[in-house]
Amino acid sequence: MIKHYLTVFLISMVPIAELRAAIPYSQAVGLPLIPSYVIAIIGNMLPVPVIYLFARKVLEIGSNMPSIIGKFCRWCTAKGEKGGEKLQTTAGRGLFVALLLFVGIPLPGTGAWTGTLAASFLKMDFKSSVLAAMCGVLLAGVIMMTLSAGFFSLIQ
């Protein structure tokens, strides 16, 4: 069982997948819902401060490199800028709520990684960015927990 909890934790740290994949995985392997939710939240939030503080700088440095690394860094930078512009356009002055919803509604391309990167590109302050991402991750977790519990109870 510890192996499955560790897998939930690690999946929730992976960009794109995050807890949107970790919680359904936990239900597929039969783990209790609440402990899985807590572990997925912790795993999803752990990279957020690091992303906010360092990702933009690393991507800017990496964008100047030739090869696949430069291409990947330019793709990530474009995704962060696009996410930031989308948030700014949608939110105006309600950027905190927009970031919370951007992270919290589990759609492809949204989540803590993209939202935090977008917040760093928008130069939101650290505390507001992390708090909005945390609230969004909690919301996404509740949504995924509800959908996963419903789906897996139907197929059993």
Side-chain angles (χ1 to χ4, degrees):
M1 185 174 339
I2 290 176
K3 179 180 84 171
H4 290 304
Y5 280 123
L6 181 61
T7 304
V8 168
F9 180 77
L10 293 174
I11 290 171
S12 66
M13 291 178 73
V14 174
I16 309 298
E18 300 183 23
L19 88 156
R20 293 153 169 74
I23 291 175
Y25 168 81
S26 75
Q27 296 311 286
V29 297
L31 293 174
L33 197 53
I34 300 302
S36 299
Y37 172 77
V38 171
I39 290 169
I41 295 294
I42 293 168
N44 205 168
M45 283 305 298
L46 201 59
V48 166
V50 176
I51 295 165
Y52 182 87
L53 296 172
F54 301 111
R56 184 174 180 186
K57 293 173 183 96
V58 170
L59 290 173
E60 288 171 355
I61 292 167
S63 293
N64 297 325
M65 295 180 156
S67 76
I68 192 101
I69 294 171
K71 189 175 184 179
F72 176 73
C73 288
R74 286 187 292 278
W75 177 81
C76 289
T77 301
K79 187 160 177 61
E81 288 173 348
K82 184 179 176 186
E85 289 169 7
K86 188 176 181 182
L87 274 175
Q88 188 71 44
T89 303
T90 304
R93 295 182 65 185
L95 203 51
F96 179 89
V97 173
L99 180 59
L100 184 157
L101 294 174
F102 182 81
V103 172
I105 298 175
L107 296 172
T110 66
W113 281 75
T114 307
T116 305
L117 186 59
S120 74
F121 277 103
L122 289 171
K123 296 179 176 63
M124 279 181 73
D125 69 284
F126 178 77
K127 185 177 176 183
S128 296
S129 299
V130 172
L131 188 58
M134 172 65 123
C135 293
V137 166
L138 291 169
L139 175 61
V142 168
I143 292 169
M144 291 310 301
M145 193 169 56
T146 304
L147 292 174
S148 296
F151 176 76
F152 285 102
S153 68
L154 285 175
I155 63 170
Q156 289 180 355

